Amino acid sequence: MDRAARIAVVGAGLGGLSAAGFLQRAGFAVRVFEQAPAFSRIGAGIILSANATKVLRRLGLERALVEAGIKSQRYISRAWDTGETLYEMVFDAHSEQHFGGPYVHIHRGDLHAVLERAVAPGTIAFDHQLVDLEETSDAVRLVFANGTKTEADIVIGADGIRSKVREFVIDDEPPQFAGAAAYRAIFPAERLRGFKIPDCTKWWGRDRHCLPYYLTGRRDEVYAIGVVPVSRWDGDEAPIPATRDQYLESFAGFHADLQRVLAAVDSVSLWPIYDRERNDCWSRGRLVLLGDACHPMRPFMAAGGAMAVEDAAILSRCLANIDDAAVAFRSYEATRISRVSEVQRISIANTWMGGPTDTDWFYCYDACTAPLAPPN
Ligand SMILES: Cc1cc2nc3c(=O)[nH]c(=O)nc-3n(C[C@H](O)[C@H](O)[C@H](O)COP(=O)(O)OP(=O)(O)OC[C@H]3O[C@@H](n4cnc5c(N)ncnc54)[C@H](O)[C@@H]3O)c2cc1C
């Protein structure tokens, strides 16, 4: 596409900032509009697998990611009651070379501080909540809650599961409650009183699971996310405060090693999990979606963020290499949809690494070099 094109990215999440970083490097004029007044250190961690970290490396972020988070050395799946090992991965120099990148855990707040470096200073306009889009004959006008307006030639909706841009591409159906909620707790590792845990363990129950992992290379901060079935969620999508006792009770009967971790939790909250039906239409006219805006993932494969990063790399390559934006969007969709829908399917089934698993197709994939599919 013509490098004079003005590109507006709505949403400064993983997908939006990655896309903006790649598009700026390709020579486009890019601005990112984010509803939040600033990035905050919300209480959650995230796992970035090799397929995501190798893309973030191209944005010059790998070292900062590893310094702010932890390069994991081991993942282990264990049975909820006996503690039997169901699956295990060792991450070392050999696996890093094989997969093409490290496996990183990081606090989401720290991740944002790193991601901000992907774009030129002044790229992100905070406190800009998109409320409307008006399409004119030769541009799109973006209208923000703060009363300002701006124009762009292309709008990338990277605004998450409740995307406003999606309303103009697909429909305004809200996401559906997925029948599950996640306890999220971060606490200092010293509360484990010397009890040693692997870098990341997934405890597999019949209808629930819990995933404690370290957030820093010093191994001084632990995150424990525990997903439980919940029949209904009244109210809005906001998390609600919970207690350590509730968390422990939800995992009563689980192996003593997990009980010790959950006993160390100090503050905890419960987050509803939302989802959408699969949808294969990600663009219309000058508008295109990426990440959770077009394909939210249940967080059972730890892959939603990675998919947003991969989308960003592929979409940027399509826009940089193909003159006509509509054709670029169709090539982007054709390249992404089969992989993303497979990841969505596995995430819903919640089977990833619960037993012997072929992980190469997922971790070895490189969105910066993978062939681009011809437009649909
Ligand atoms: C409990 C849980 C655990 C998870 N764990 C993992 C994990 O370990 N690994 C992993 O890869 N994924 C994980 N995920 C999924 C991952 O968080 C998402 O898939 C990922 O954040 C999607 O990135 P995104 O850039 O598409 O959207 P988001 O990260 O949601 O970013 C969207 C941005 O858009 C902004 N925005 C929204 N509306 C507007 C508007 N109208 N105007 C302006 N700005 C707007 C938001 O403020 C936000 O900054 C998890 C998800 C959950 C719920």
Side-chain angles (χ1 to χ4, degrees):
M1 250 184 61
D2 183 356
R3 296 304 194 263
R6 300 160 297 171
I7 300 182
V9 177
V10 182
L14 252 176
L17 286 176
S18 303
F22 280 117
L23 289 165
Q24 282 185 337
R25 280 161 182 73
F28 292 102
V30 187
R31 293 214 61 202
V32 180
F33 299 95
E34 167 58 47
Q35 64 183 4
F39 291 135
S40 58
R41 207 170 185 263
I42 66 147
I46 187 163
I47 293 171
L48 295 172
S49 44
N51 47 318
T53 55
K54 76 182 71 161
V55 172
L56 297 174
R57 174 189 300 147
R58 264 49 164 255
L59 293 169
L61 303 179
E62 183 180 8
R63 192 159 162 199
L65 271 182
V66 169
E67 278 172 10
I70 169 172
K71 200 191 259 203
S72 182
Q73 291 180 357
R74 184 170 168 223
Y75 166 91
I76 176 166
S77 280
R78 295 181 73 183
W80 67 282
D81 48 354
T82 60
E84 178 199 346
T85 298
L86 305 172
Y87 187 75
E88 189 169 6
M89 286 188 96
V90 172
F91 300 111
D92 55 15
H94 175 260
S95 72
E96 200 172 315
Q97 194 183 21
H98 178 70
F99 294 135
Y103 191 90
V104 171
H105 318 153
I106 188 168
H107 193 296
R108 283 180 185 252
D110 296 339
L111 171 63
H112 268 104
V114 171
L115 279 175
E116 222 175 333
R117 303 183 208 167
V119 294
T123 303
I124 309 173
F126 287 101
D127 208 7
H128 277 66
Q129 181 186 28
L130 182 81
V131 289
D132 200 7
L133 285 176
E134 296 161 2
E135 287 182 69
T136 63
S137 55
D138 57 357
V140 186
R141 189 167 302 127
L142 296 94
V143 183
F144 299 100
N146 63 12
T148 60
K149 294 182 180 180
T150 192
E151 272 199 358
D153 300 301
I154 297 290
V155 176
I156 299 177
D159 46 346
I161 188 167
R162 285 183 176 72
S163 167
K164 186 73 190 171
V165 181
R166 181 189 170 101
E167 293 179 17
F168 297 85
V169 176
I170 307 168
D171 59 34
D172 58 3
E173 282 290 308
Q176 298 133 18
F177 176 56
Y183 288 100
R184 284 169 143 179
I186 291 181
F187 58 89
E190 64 193 21
R191 291 181 61 91
L192 291 171
R193 298 173 190 218
F195 181 56
K196 295 275 177 262
I197 59 172
D199 284 348
C200 184
T201 309
K202 183 166 176 178
W203 289 93
W204 293 75
R206 288 195 194 96
D207 63 352
R208 61 199 62 210
H209 63 264
C210 190
L211 194 79
Y213 58 86
Y214 285 113
L215 291 178
T216 62
R218 297 179 300 279
R219 295 181 174 76
D220 57 1
E221 198 168 38
V222 179
Y223 174 54
I225 170 171
V227 177
V228 293
V230 173
S231 51
R232 47 186 284 205
W233 191 268
D234 295 323
D236 61 16
E237 70 273 13
I240 56 172
T243 64
R244 176 176 56 224
D245 286 350
Q246 279 173 310
Y247 200 171
L248 275 164
E249 191 158 314
S250 294
F251 288 88
F254 272 61
H255 193 272
D257 285 2
L258 178 66
Q259 304 283 343
R260 276 190 81 167
V261 174
L262 297 186
V265 161
D266 44 8
S267 68
V268 53
S269 49
L270 188 64
W271 298 60
I273 295 174
Y274 282 83
D275 201 1
R276 289 184 185 277
E277 295 275 317
R278 175 178 164 179
N279 152 74
D280 291 350
C281 163
W282 297 0
S283 65
R284 192 182 64 76
R286 297 171 177 276
L287 314 179
V288 62
L289 304 172
L290 62 73
D292 278 9
C294 47
H295 51 69
M297 301 278 168
R298 293 194 196 180
F300 307 157
M301 187 177 161
M307 291 299 100
V309 171
E310 289 183 9
D311 284 354
I314 298 282
L315 176 60
S316 314
R317 288 173 60 204
C318 291
L319 286 170
N321 293 327
I322 301 172
D323 286 342
D324 182 333
V327 179
F329 293 166
R330 291 209 308 279
S331 172
Y332 157 64
E333 290 167 342
T335 309
R336 293 299 295 152
I337 282 172
S338 58
R339 178 169 166 88
V340 165
S341 41
E342 181 60 3
V343 174
Q344 239 170 350
R345 189 190 65 71
I346 298 170
S347 298
I348 291 170
N350 189 18
T351 50
W352 185 249
M353 304 206 298
T357 305
D358 166 21
T359 54
D360 279 7
W361 68 272
F362 185 61
Y363 293 145
C364 294
Y365 181 84
D366 187 345
C368 294
T369 57
L372 301 178
N376 278 335

